[in-house]
Amino acid sequence: MKKYSLTTTTFLTATLLLGACGTNNNEERVEEKTPKGTVSNPQQDETVNQLQTDENSQKEISFQYFNLNIGTTENENIIHAEVDMKDSKADAIYKNILASTDLKGDAAYALLEPIFVELELTKDMREEEVIDRVTEQFGINEFTNFELEIEFKDGDNKKYSKSVE
């Protein structure tokens, strides 16, 4: 009888010790799942998170639709930015080969919003001024092809384009 109680005690003690040594401690690491074909840059992810929580946007964006394509001699689609803010939620796509960026949705909009605020575009601006502001904000010094379509909040559509050989 004593042999059984000693065996049972040893078994229960071992079970409790092994159970207490487990790694399940509510700090489980959950890996982010990045969709295939999407570039993930940790520094960029931190910037996106900071921008999404930053609520100091005092200036207003003057347009509700923005579609930009810039090409260079190295790549005909070096930058593509498209944002549709006609509905209550902004649909955004941002591809920038120079910055290794390929984002969609909220992450794309979070990176584009500060650029849009700084642009301060109006429908009365000259085409050359719009092109200069946009290329400066997107960090492009030289380009071969520039195409921009904007729909301002009042519904007025403007297209800007320039090709350089």
Side-chain angles (χ1 to χ4, degrees):
M1 182 77 154
K2 217 175 197 189
K3 195 175 201 181
Y4 288 116
S5 93
L6 182 60
T7 305
T8 305
T9 305
T10 305
F11 177 73
L12 287 174
T13 304
T15 303
L16 289 174
L17 284 175
L18 289 175
C21 294
T23 59
N24 190 5
N25 59 1
N26 292 337
E27 292 182 22
E28 294 179 9
R29 182 179 175 156
V30 178
E31 291 185 29
E32 284 189 42
K33 295 183 178 178
T34 305
K36 290 184 180 182
T38 301
V39 177
S40 180
N41 179 341
Q43 183 180 9
Q44 183 176 317
D45 291 346
E46 184 176 319
T47 302
V48 167
N49 290 338
Q50 182 181 14
L51 291 171
Q52 286 177 332
T53 58
D54 189 13
E55 296 182 12
N56 62 1
S57 297
Q58 306 266 330
K59 299 177 186 175
E60 190 174 309
I61 298 170
S62 62
F63 49 84
Q64 60 186 5
Y65 179 75
F66 183 94
N67 186 356
L68 172 68
N69 290 295
I70 300 177
T72 63
T73 54
E74 293 85 31
N75 190 322
E76 64 184 43
N77 293 315
I78 200 100
I79 292 179
H80 173 70
E82 185 173 359
V83 176
D84 186 348
M85 297 179 282
K86 293 176 188 173
D87 297 327
S88 61
K89 183 172 167 78
D91 293 324
I93 298 171
Y94 182 41
K95 294 180 183 181
N96 184 334
I97 303 298
L98 297 174
S100 299
T101 302
D102 186 5
L103 299 170
K104 293 180 181 178
D106 292 339
Y109 185 74
L111 283 180
L112 290 170
E113 182 182 27
I115 294 171
F116 293 159
V117 169
E118 289 300 316
L119 282 174
E120 296 180 340
L121 298 177
T122 66
K123 63 182 177 180
D124 300 325
M125 286 182 172
R126 291 176 303 122
E127 182 172 32
E128 195 62 37
E129 185 180 2
V130 170
I131 292 171
D132 288 345
R133 284 188 183 199
V134 171
T135 54
E136 180 182 329
Q137 284 297 314
F138 282 92
I140 300 294
N141 297 324
E142 296 180 14
F143 60 88
T144 56
N145 190 35
F146 178 97
E147 294 178 6
L148 174 61
E149 181 182 352
I150 297 177
E151 182 180 333
F152 290 93
K153 288 189 175 180
D154 66 359
D156 196 12
N157 288 311
K158 295 278 185 168
K159 291 185 179 184
Y160 308 91
S161 63
K162 183 175 181 180
S163 293
V164 180
E165 296 300 321

